[in-house]
Amino acid sequence: QVQLVESGGGLVQPGGSLRLSCAASGSIWSINTMGWYRQAPGKQRELVAVITRGGITNIADSVKGRFTISRDNAKNTVYLQMNSLKPEDTALYFCNAPDLAITPSYYKNVWGQGTQVTVSS
């Protein structure tokens, strides 16, 4: 059973920082893209940042310059460093691996359960 487990969410004041982690576990051949999405109450889920196995990143304009995505391929883990947090960053943050290879020819799109980030004074 392959799963993604997020950690690092919490309550932080505006201007503060948090670091989210997402670790993939189970029978994994390889993972190409890993990323973070978020969903605020009453809104659609949106892309925050993604990173390929080779380190190519795509960052949403709304968080560019404040958030950084990185990964440790040996640990099948992706990180999201969030600085200068704003109240509008409040959301449930989900980890995603859209092309997680169980075998060289069998891929799955896997989501984590989400971790809550609340930015409030």
Side-chain angles (χ1 to χ4, degrees), residues 1-7 21-31 33-36 75-78 94-98 100-102 106 108-114:
Q1 183 75 9
V2 175
Q3 61 178 353
L4 301 178
V5 179
E6 304 101 333
S7 61
S21 299
C22 169
S25 63
S27 179
I28 299 170
W29 179 263
S30 69
I31 307 175
T33 304
M34 298 186 79
W36 293 93
K75 295 181 179 181
N76 287 328
T77 300
V78 64
F94 295 91
C95 180
N96 174 236
L100 189 153
I102 308 298
Y106 178 48
K108 293 187 70 173
N109 181 8
V110 184
W111 287 89
Q113 292 298 307

Side-chain angles (χ1 to χ4, degrees), residues 4-8 18-24 33-37 48-52 57-59 66-83 93-96 115:
L4 301 178
V5 179
E6 304 101 333
S7 61
L18 283 175
R19 188 191 194 210
L20 305 184
S21 299
C22 169
T33 304
M34 298 186 79
W36 293 93
Y37 289 73
V48 178
V50 294
I51 183 169
T52 68
T57 62
N58 182 25
I59 313 291
R66 300 188 296 121
F67 290 13
T68 302
I69 188 169
S70 61
R71 66 187 282 174
D72 184 332
N73 291 329
K75 295 181 179 181
N76 287 328
T77 300
V78 64
Y79 307 96
L80 186 68
Q81 179 66 44
M82 305 185 294
N83 299 327
Y93 284 69
F94 295 91
C95 180
N96 174 236
T115 185

